Amino acid sequence: MPQPANGLDTEDQASLTSVASIAPSPDTLTKLVRRLRTLTLTLVPVEVPLESIADPTSRLITPQVIKAYIAAAGDLVEALPYCLIRARKEFMWDANHNPADYEENLCRATACEVLARRVIHVSPPDRMTSMMSTRYTHREADGDEGDKTSALEMAVDSHCPIFLSSSEAQDVVNDLWRGQLVQRHNKDHDVDFMPYKDTYKDTVWGHMDPDRLAVPKYQNVFRILIWFFFLFVYSQAVREPLDKQDPDHSDLDAFEVIMYVMALAFAFEDIQKLFKLLLFVSWRALSFWNFVSFATDALLVVAFSLRMAGIGSSGERSRSLLIQSFQWLSFVAPLICLEIIPIFDGYKYVGTMQICVARMLQESGIFFGLLALLGIGFVQGLYALDAADGSTEAPLEVINLLVQALLQAPNYDRWSGWAPGLLLYYLWNVATVVILLNILISLFSSAYDDVVQDAAAEYLAYFAGKAVGMIRAPDEYIYPAPFNLIELTLIAPWEYIISPRAYRRLNRFVMLALFCLPLLAIAIYETQLDPSKNRWVHDWLTNPDQGLEDTVEYRDPEVDGEDAAKGLKISTVPFEEIVKVFPDSTHSSEATIIKEIRDLKKQLEELKQLLVEKNTQ
């Protein structure tokens, strides 16, 4: 009997299909994770090349090994990807805390990630979404229950590019991004995912649903529009700060009012997001851009405070506070422009560039650590030499000279008449400009090579994190900034006064009134212009001749018209006969040779048995 392409026979496919969505206890899942770890320790007892593990034709992760892991899960096959990613996370913890066995545990972690990807690949399509998005919890080492999470969320937190770059994972991610898979909030802040087509009527009014504002794709478009408007307002607010020095025109103008109101909304949104991520997810969900947002909010708060203090003062103090306010506000400009990058990182080029920059900044931590240690030592040394003659300069002056030297503008004249100070200053320049900066360049080059070498998988993993991060915090009613101020001041207080049903109706009414135009645009797009529903839009946006399916008509096409009358044929040799000479690309060459040797041994055993029977007669 021919073997299916995915390596599973009919009985295994049936066992996968028959497993319903279940919710095993944390203790049961922990026992399964331990069993999978033991299996992986047996599968990878020593270090092997990582390329041989992740290779699609790996001689280590074979179809038989995948079947063995599926059998090891018993009735918990749907939780198998989650448990494999959990086992991968534990192996990575072992690797980071046991340097002697780092390579071995890294290989085992990679094997678990590859196995999770292959298990999803061989699973039936109707179970794939459930296996990826169903949320489980486990028993931690201290006896407490861990946070409830899914295989997809844990893969994002653990940075699993092999798993997240699979077509199956990206199908689920794209469903989340486009809103085909939506959240349903349960008790205790639990979230389930279900197909959106099961919850609406396919009409324009049926799609006028405020919950559609939670779709990451629409959130991203809304953020782009709001952020460009904020950039315009900021540019107008800081255009002519000298005009505000006139006592008759020192009050806030319209652009400043709008800017600070929007800044307040962004600050509340960031604080709420931080609180919910720390409460319901983990601090690992925080990223570099969260800290950029916090820095932007802090600078805007300082600028606003100084502005209000200046308005409340008079005379020279008012003018001084006004200047300080605009000085602090000027520091916000680079950060505001920098925050454009994560808004457009849905495009592959921008996303890959951002990954490279983030990895470089991460690698530069070694450089800044060494620089800080050297800086402290040289500041103390130069300050002590300066104090030897009984008079000293301010320590900030010494720090300024060292920073100027680091930025390729050393002031040797300052130490020209003083040999010990000049020698120490030479040593500082050699240590930083010649040694540390070259180390930084090497770290940047290594980080860039690591990202570019597997840029496609890294970008897909990043995009998965972006999509999951936008729906992760359990907020049932989405009021994008600056409209979140309306929710905080007018809507949220009613949650503790009226019933949950009335509170939901109030939110839906307010959201329909506030966002009627965006919701109408979304409804028209989803019912009339969505390429997945309209053939003409799909053909207009894409080339209809690309990506044709593998069908019987394409395998053995028939000739029509005049060519058929002439007796011309394409399929003179059937498709099945042609492909018999193709090599088996689903197995490695070693596995193919071993299989042929086993078949040969089996034939020799049969021949030997026939000869024995013939001699005994």
Side-chain angles (χ1 to χ4, degrees):
M1 179 180 296
Q3 187 79 354
N6 57 16
L8 293 180
D9 53 27
T10 306
E11 293 182 0
D12 292 319
Q13 290 280 10
S15 66
L16 275 172
T17 307
S18 62
V19 177
S21 297
I22 53 179
S25 66
D27 294 326
T28 302
L29 284 177
T30 303
K31 292 178 181 179
L32 177 56
V33 172
R34 291 172 181 170
R35 190 182 198 195
L36 296 176
R37 279 176 54 87
T38 305
L39 282 173
T40 308
L41 287 169
T42 306
L43 178 67
V44 191
V46 295
E47 179 186 349
V48 297
L50 290 177
E51 296 79 9
S52 66
I53 299 176
D55 195 320
T57 60
S58 172
R59 62 183 179 84
L60 190 68
I61 311 296
T62 63
Q64 292 74 23
V65 171
I66 298 171
K67 291 172 64 177
Y69 271 79
I70 291 174
D75 296 330
L76 306 179
V77 179
E78 282 205 356
L80 182 56
Y82 168 85
C83 293
L84 283 169
I85 298 297
R86 173 65 63 184
R88 186 253 186 207
K89 186 175 181 180
E90 294 182 2
F91 277 125
M92 287 303 302
W93 189 93
D94 294 339
N96 293 326
H97 288 78
N98 187 4
D101 294 332
Y102 178 83
E103 297 296 339
E104 292 87 343
N105 284 313
L106 179 61
C107 292
R108 292 158 188 158
T110 305
C112 289
E113 185 178 352
V114 172
L115 282 163
R117 172 172 178 160
R118 303 289 171 80
V119 168
I120 290 290
H121 178 69
V122 302
S123 64
D126 61 329
R127 308 307 312 162
M128 181 180 65
T129 300
S130 176
M131 296 174 75
M132 293 282 292
S133 61
T134 302
R135 310 180 86 213
Y136 303 98
T137 185
H138 74 292
R139 185 70 62 185
E140 295 181 342
D142 57 1
D144 297 333
E145 289 189 11
D147 296 327
K148 205 165 189 179
T149 185
S150 63
L152 182 62
E153 292 171 316
M154 199 188 318
V156 168
D157 291 341
S158 304
H159 187 66
C160 302
I162 297 175
F163 180 79
L164 293 173
S165 62
S166 65
S167 58
E168 294 79 16
Q170 287 300 308
D171 286 342
V172 177
V173 170
N174 286 324
D175 286 343
L176 290 171
W177 178 258
R178 296 191 303 263
Q180 302 300 321
L181 197 63
V182 296
Q183 302 177 86
R184 283 296 173 263
H185 296 264
N186 304 322
K187 295 180 179 180
D188 299 326
H189 300 286
D190 189 19
V191 175
D192 291 329
F193 295 94
M194 61 184 302
Y196 180 60
K197 63 182 180 181
D198 297 339
T199 63
Y200 73 96
K201 295 181 180 179
D202 196 12
T203 61
V204 173
W205 181 250
H207 283 261
M208 285 282 292
D209 186 358
D211 292 340
R212 300 307 285 166
L213 293 173
V215 174
K217 179 179 180 180
Y218 304 139
Q219 284 190 50
N220 198 57
V221 173
F222 202 87
R223 283 180 60 198
I224 291 173
L225 298 176
I226 292 296
W227 199 253
F228 274 118
F229 177 73
F230 181 67
L231 278 176
F232 170 76
V233 172
Y234 174 83
S235 301
Q236 296 298 317
V238 299
R239 185 179 58 177
E240 295 178 353
L242 294 178
D243 293 344
K244 306 296 188 303
Q245 296 184 22
D246 185 355
D248 297 331
H249 300 86
S250 61
D251 295 335
L252 294 173
D253 60 18
F255 287 111
E256 285 185 289
V257 172
I258 297 174
M259 180 188 67
Y260 285 123
V261 168
M262 295 185 70
L264 180 64
F266 292 142
F268 276 125
E269 185 180 52
D270 293 333
I271 293 172
Q272 183 184 32
K273 185 182 298 184
L274 173 65
F275 172 75
K276 291 189 174 181
L277 285 177
L278 295 178
L279 181 62
F280 300 112
V281 188
S282 170
W283 62 269
R284 295 181 180 85
L286 297 175
S287 66
F288 167 75
W289 298 109
N290 293 116
F291 295 102
V292 173
S293 298
F294 299 149
T296 305
D297 297 336
L299 290 174
L300 287 169
V301 169
V302 172
F304 176 74
S305 302
L306 291 173
R307 188 76 173 90
M308 291 296 100
I311 293 176
S313 304
S314 60
E316 187 63 27
R317 177 172 174 76
S318 175
R319 183 175 180 276
S320 175
L321 291 173
L322 175 65
I323 294 175
Q324 292 181 38
S325 173
F326 279 100
Q327 287 174 342
W328 281 95
L329 199 59
S330 64
F331 282 101
V332 182
L335 297 178
I336 291 178
C337 294
L338 188 64
E339 289 201 56
I340 295 178
I341 296 177
I343 294 178
F344 288 96
D345 57 10
Y347 299 97
K348 185 176 180 179
Y349 176 79
V350 179
T352 305
M353 178 188 67
Q354 177 182 331
I355 296 171
C356 290
V357 173
R359 185 68 64 85
M360 289 178 179
L361 291 175
Q362 182 180 357
E363 294 292 339
S364 65
I366 300 174
F367 165 79
F368 285 109
L370 294 174
L371 180 64
L373 292 176
L374 279 177
I376 293 173
F378 276 94
V379 167
Q380 288 180 334
L382 290 172
Y383 186 77
L385 287 175
D386 191 23
D389 59 359
S391 62
T392 61
E393 295 182 358
L396 290 178
E397 181 66 23
V398 177
I399 295 175
N400 183 44
L401 291 170
L402 295 182
V403 172
Q404 287 180 348
L406 179 65
L407 298 178
Q408 310 296 309
N411 183 10
Y412 294 105
D413 295 336
R414 169 63 179 79
W415 316 98
S416 59
W418 189 25
L422 186 61
L423 177 62
L424 199 59
Y425 199 55
Y426 283 152
L427 290 176
W428 166 257
N429 283 274
V430 170
T432 55
V433 177
V434 178
I435 299 177
L436 285 185
L437 287 181
N438 282 283
I439 292 176
L440 180 63
I441 293 171
S442 299
L443 291 172
F444 279 178
S445 177
S446 175
Y448 180 81
D449 290 339
D450 290 342
V451 173
V452 174
Q453 185 177 5
D454 199 11
E458 290 288 344
Y459 170 73
L460 292 175
Y462 176 79
F463 179 74
K466 177 182 176 71
V468 171
M470 295 180 74
I471 62 173
R472 200 162 190 183
D475 194 354
E476 189 170 357
Y477 309 107
I478 302 296
Y479 288 83
F483 299 98
N484 58 336
L485 294 178
I486 298 177
E487 179 190 16
L488 291 173
T489 57
L490 302 178
I491 307 300
W494 290 98
E495 183 178 4
Y496 306 98
I497 301 175
I498 59 180
S499 65
R501 182 178 179 182
Y503 183 68
R504 176 173 177 77
R505 293 179 63 183
L506 174 63
N507 274 278
R508 292 181 66 84
F509 175 79
V510 173
M511 294 175 75
L512 280 172
L514 286 176
F515 308 110
C516 58
L517 293 180
L519 289 174
L520 180 61
I522 292 172
I524 294 175
Y525 170 78
E526 292 183 342
T527 56
Q528 305 297 329
L529 302 177
D530 190 352
S532 63
K533 294 183 179 181
N534 296 276
R535 183 70 182 179
W536 71 270
V537 178
H538 183 272
D539 293 345
W540 179 48
L541 295 176
T542 61
N543 190 340
D545 294 332
Q546 300 293 327
L548 297 177
E549 298 292 335
D550 181 14
T551 64
V552 177
E553 292 79 7
Y554 299 149
R555 292 188 171 203
D556 293 314
E558 296 291 337
V559 177
D560 300 325
E562 296 179 359
D563 291 337
K566 296 177 183 179
L568 298 178
K569 291 184 178 181
I570 296 177
S571 306
T572 55
V573 180
F575 184 86
E576 298 297 334
E577 293 294 329
I578 296 174
V579 298
K580 284 183 179 180
V581 299
F582 286 9
D584 185 6
S585 59
T586 61
H587 295 77
S588 64
S589 57
E590 295 91 341
T592 302
I593 293 172
I594 292 174
K595 182 179 182 299
E596 292 178 353
I597 293 174
R598 288 175 178 172
D599 292 340
L600 182 60
K601 289 178 64 177
K602 184 177 180 181
Q603 293 175 5
L604 290 174
E605 290 292 336
E606 293 176 353
L607 180 59
K608 181 179 179 181
Q609 185 67 25
L610 289 174
L611 291 175
V612 171
E613 292 177 356
K614 185 176 181 180
N615 291 332
T616 56
Q617 291 178 354

